[in-house]
Amino acid sequence: APEPLGDVEFTIAGQSIHFRVAMNADDRLLFKSMTDCRLVRASGAVESVQPVGLVPKLSPGKNPVVVLVSNAQPDEFRAVVTLTKVYP
């Protein structure tokens, strides 16, 4: 089995938020707020995750997004990233 992906970091519009998790195939990381973040395992098990950093604030228009994974080479995995802006 491949090694889990670890320590996921999102940088959005120059602002970073870090998730210290080990993700396997078909796991999902769901972030709604600093107090509502969870890792849903492919098995259906749910684990609480404590993000590190601040929630990135989006500016009007395009906002560049960079996803970094500490222990993976680009040819070793494929990720699906969905970002949804929620208006207050």
Side-chain angles (χ1 to χ4, degrees), residues 31-42:
F31 172 82
K32 292 185 179 181
S33 71
M34 295 301 282
T35 57
D36 185 2
C37 183
R38 57 195 185 276
L39 178 63
V40 180
R41 298 284 181 191

Side-chain angles (χ1 to χ4, degrees), residues 27-81:
D27 287 349
R28 294 179 295 139
L29 179 63
L30 304 174
F31 172 82
K32 292 185 179 181
S33 71
M34 295 301 282
T35 57
D36 185 2
C37 183
R38 57 195 185 276
L39 178 63
V40 180
R41 298 284 181 191
S43 66
V46 179
E47 300 172 20
S48 181
V49 175
Q50 181 59 56
V52 176
L54 299 174
V55 178
K57 304 242 186 267
L58 299 178
S59 301
K62 294 181 180 180
N63 290 268
V65 176
V66 176
V67 180
L68 298 174
V69 179
S70 65
N71 65 332
Q73 298 299 316
D75 59 344
E76 293 178 341
F77 73 98
R78 179 177 63 172
V80 176
V81 177

Side-chain angles (χ1 to χ4, degrees), residues 6-41:
D7 290 336
V8 179
E9 182 177 302
F10 286 86
T11 301
I12 302 169
Q15 305 160 77
S16 296
I17 188 166
H18 190 104
F19 303 91
R20 292 190 175 123
V21 295
M23 296 180 66
N24 294 299
D26 296 320
D27 287 349
R28 294 179 295 139
L29 179 63
L30 304 174
F31 172 82
K32 292 185 179 181
S33 71
M34 295 301 282
T35 57
D36 185 2
C37 183
R38 57 195 185 276
L39 178 63
V40 180
R41 298 284 181 191

